[in-house]
Amino acid sequence: MVFQYYPDDDVLYIEFTDGTSTESEEVAPGIVLDFDERGRVVGMEIEDAGRQVDLSKLELNSMPIATLIFTKRREAEVVQTQKASKEMSL
């Protein structure tokens, strides 16, 4: 499972499994599910993610995780996030 956040568009994409999306369906405002050719959910897109979910925290409970990978954000994204945080605290 992969969580990918696109800050420029404020979109969170959760890829549940490797697979090619052949169909998408908006199941609620701003929530789109991607399905493979067998009708299985392969991913979910959350538009306006910053308003719909708490992106500041990820908590895993009782997950049978074999590998946990943290990918470093690009430096420009880190600087942009720090500036936004400072502006909000003013």
Side-chain angles (χ1 to χ4, degrees):
M1 185 172 352
V2 177
F3 288 72
Q4 179 67 45
Y5 179 63
Y6 301 93
D8 292 341
D9 300 316
D10 192 22
V11 170
L12 175 65
Y13 190 78
I14 305 169
E15 180 182 309
F16 297 117
T17 185
D18 290 333
T20 302
S21 172
T22 59
E23 184 178 339
S24 298
E25 180 180 340
E26 186 170 21
V27 295
I31 308 293
V32 178
L33 296 180
D34 289 334
F35 300 91
D36 67 9
E37 68 281 346
R38 296 170 71 188
R40 295 177 297 188
V41 177
V42 295
M44 176 173 63
E45 178 179 286
I46 302 172
E47 300 168 357
D48 297 319
R51 292 190 308 207
Q52 296 204 50
V53 296
D54 181 1
L55 296 172
S56 68
K57 175 177 143 182
L58 176 62
E59 184 174 332
L60 304 172
N61 290 314
S62 303
M63 298 290 292
I65 297 173
T67 304
L68 183 59
I69 301 169
F70 291 93
T71 304
K72 184 178 177 182
R73 292 189 291 170
R74 294 187 319 242
E75 186 61 33
E77 291 176 0
V78 173
V79 170
Q80 182 180 16
T81 301
Q82 290 172 345
K83 285 181 182 178
S85 294
K86 286 180 184 177
E87 290 173 1
M88 290 186 348
S89 66
L90 294 178

